Amino acid sequence: MSSAPHTQTPTGGGRPGSGPGRSGNGWRRVLGVPSLVLLGLVYMVPLTIFSTYGIVVELTGGRLSAAYAAALVVMLFTARSYGRMAQAFPVAGSAYTYATRSFGPGLGFMSGWSLLLDYLLLPMINYLLIGIYLNAAFPAVPAWVFMVVSIMVVTALNILGITAVARANFVVVGLQALFIILFVGLAWASVSRSGKLDLLAPFTGVDGAEGFSPILAGSAILCLSYLGFDAVSTFAEEAKNPRTSIPRAIMLTTVLAGLIFLGLAYISHLLLPVGTFADPDSAAIEVVGAAGGNLLVAFFTAAYIAGSLGSALTSQASVSRIIHSMGRGRVLPAAFGRLHPRLGTPVVPIIVTSGVSLLALVLDLTTVSSLISFGALVAFSVVNLSVIKHYFIDRRNRGTGSLLHNLLLPGIGFLLTLWLWTSLSGLSFSLGLSWAALGLAYLAYLTRGFRRPTPHLQLEEA
């Protein structure tokens, strides 16, 4: 497929054209780098470190900080590839757009289908966590009530527009930032008073911890904590100067999230080393309690719920833009590709995403997490390969510097992603491949048994 830009008349997005503050498809360009980074950080939930804290600490022999450092290095290669493709195609659609433009509409469709799996289910996992935490705090209220109320609030804010989402995210990030400051301050004070301070312990682990393999196994799990930097690319049509702001925001989001994860892991291990907590699954509560007692535990719960709500808010905004792009390209029905004439938001995709999120009432965390992992790694693999295909093969950028940027670095990103595939469970593969088979069947229907061309995105570049 040619990489020349396609054009399309804007559909239902207010004033047509690309006037001041508007993209060519009707989106309002209101997001600068700080807002984009904020969206990415909220999507990733900085406090997500505590959800797997005890499990990975034990797996790595107390070397959680080393595992997070390794995970950050791994994800930086893929984050860089997302940034490179966002420079080439600064439009909504993320991996779907990049695969379509680089490999053609067939592979683009299957990549978009896998990406849908990832994005459709990410809001759901947040609703599940909200229901679990709030039901534990208020047992008299069923978990499903909290889930449904959360879905309604998130849906309303997304329909109102991306500005409302960004403003809500400031509150969410502010609450989590306040908790992090309090936790780090109280934890450091407690560690300093103990008089037993080994600054290398979070990297060397407990006595007997040997080899790099446990660290790699831990980082394979932790890499999924970085899901969210790729969500930044889906806001390309609402970003100011997307060719520069999107790549910059993607890298900043990845680095900042990695530093937050690493810092929290480091101080947590100093406060409560491996082997001192009773249950790995509840180790986070023990760590927070050791720093500030029951009051800090209550604040942690509130901040974590706020973070889950903010992540659901941002992830629903992201998937609605993916679905909008597919509808605009007639891969999905045309109704998905229209924007509300006054609000300028994709109302139909937002409502559909909310409907899918109601499955949180019947699915469990293990099933949802398995599906998300599969979809994420498909997207990571395709984007790394897209850099090689677009820049190195199609554009023939093969000088010394281009060899590094367009072949070696994305190639390393792809190989590291292949390594992450080995960490997936059998459940992930079986459910993921079933979803892929469903997508292939739908593609066969769209193309009348592959006798017609595959529908593809028609987007106007910024």
Side-chain angles (χ1 to χ4, degrees), residues 417-462:
T417 303
L418 286 183
W419 163 67
L420 289 178
W421 278 101
T422 64
S423 71
L424 290 182
S425 65
L427 178 64
S428 298
F429 276 107
S430 60
L431 293 176
L433 291 175
S434 297
W435 175 261
L438 181 62
L440 190 62
Y442 180 57
L443 180 59
Y445 166 76
L446 286 176
T447 58
R448 301 297 186 268
F450 304 103
R451 291 190 298 270
R452 295 182 180 179
T454 301
H456 57 88
L457 290 176
Q458 296 183 9
L459 303 171
E460 180 176 323
E461 297 176 23

Side-chain angles (χ1 to χ4, degrees), residues 139 193 207 298:
R193 286 195 303 268
D207 292 339

Side-chain angles (χ1 to χ4, degrees), residues 111-129:
S111 299
W113 187 260
S114 296
L115 190 64
L116 268 180
L117 180 67
D118 185 5
Y119 280 101
L120 277 172
L121 298 184
L122 272 170
M124 192 187 306
I125 205 168
N126 288 293
Y127 298 131
L128 283 166
L129 289 169

Side-chain angles (χ1 to χ4, degrees), residues 5-69:
H6 301 278
T7 59
Q8 175 178 311
T9 302
T11 53
R15 299 188 310 273
S18 53
R22 292 254 179 184
S23 66
N25 287 303
W27 294 101
R28 295 184 178 93
R29 293 201 177 278
V30 295
L31 300 176
V33 172
S35 294
L36 290 166
V37 172
L38 191 67
L39 286 167
L41 289 177
V42 171
Y43 196 104
M44 296 167 79
V45 188
L47 298 185
T48 193
I49 170 184
F50 292 109
S51 63
T52 57
Y53 177 81
I55 297 171
V56 181
V57 164
E58 289 207 336
L59 177 62
T60 58
R63 294 173 290 177
L64 180 62
S65 296
Y68 262 116

Side-chain angles (χ1 to χ4, degrees), residues 153 188 258:
V153 170
W188 185 256

Side-chain angles (χ1 to χ4, degrees), residues 89-357:
F89 307 114
V91 290
S94 191
Y96 177 29
T97 299
Y98 309 150
T100 299
R101 294 296 183 88
S102 299
F103 294 103
L107 184 57
F109 175 89
M110 293 306 297
S111 299
W113 187 260
S114 296
L115 190 64
L116 268 180
L117 180 67
D118 185 5
Y119 280 101
L120 277 172
L121 298 184
L122 272 170
M124 192 187 306
I125 205 168
N126 288 293
Y127 298 131
L128 283 166
L129 289 169
I130 289 170
I132 291 170
Y133 271 87
L134 286 180
N135 177 249
F138 306 98
V141 182
W144 68 266
V145 173
F146 294 116
M147 294 182 195
V148 171
V149 171
S150 299
I151 291 171
M152 292 172 63
V153 170
V154 167
T155 300
L157 286 172
N158 268 298
I159 288 176
L160 288 175
I162 195 63
T163 303
V165 173
R167 287 171 180 167
N169 284 340
F170 273 109
V171 177
V172 172
V173 170
L175 185 61
Q176 292 187 83
L178 180 58
F179 168 79
I180 290 172
I181 292 170
L182 284 173
F183 173 73
V184 171
L186 292 171
W188 185 256
S190 177
V191 169
S192 300
R193 286 195 303 268
S194 70
K196 300 176 181 179
L197 191 60
D198 182 358
L199 296 178
L200 293 179
F203 294 98
T204 59
V206 297
D207 292 339
E210 297 179 355
F212 201 59
S213 295
I215 294 176
L216 293 179
S219 63
I221 296 173
L222 298 177
C223 277
L224 298 179
S225 300
Y226 288 86
L227 289 179
F229 72 83
D230 56 325
V232 173
S233 65
T234 67
F235 297 100
E237 292 183 63
E238 293 161 276
K240 304 171 185 176
N241 304 315
R243 289 187 186 275
T244 56
S245 62
I246 292 293
R248 191 177 303 164
I250 288 174
M251 293 302 290
L252 282 173
T253 299
T254 307
V255 171
L256 287 175
L259 292 177
I260 291 171
F261 295 153
L262 184 56
L264 288 174
Y266 184 84
I267 191 67
S268 295
H269 179 87
L270 291 179
L271 180 67
L272 200 65
V274 63
T276 61
F277 44 77
D279 183 4
D281 291 335
S282 61
I285 299 297
E286 294 184 47
V287 171
V288 174
N294 292 333
L295 186 59
L296 190 63
V297 169
F299 188 21
F300 164 73
T301 302
Y304 195 87
I305 290 170
S308 296
L309 192 62
S311 180
L313 191 65
T314 307
S315 55
Q316 188 188 56
S318 296
V319 71
S320 67
R321 281 139 183 82
I322 297 289
I323 296 174
H324 171 77
S325 296
M326 297 178 81
R328 203 166 61 191
R330 302 305 170 94
V331 176
L332 294 176
F336 291 98
R338 298 192 181 101
L339 298 178
H340 189 279
R342 183 172 61 85
L343 298 174
T345 53
V347 174
V348 173
I350 290 171
I351 292 175
V352 168
T353 304
S354 299
V356 173
S357 294

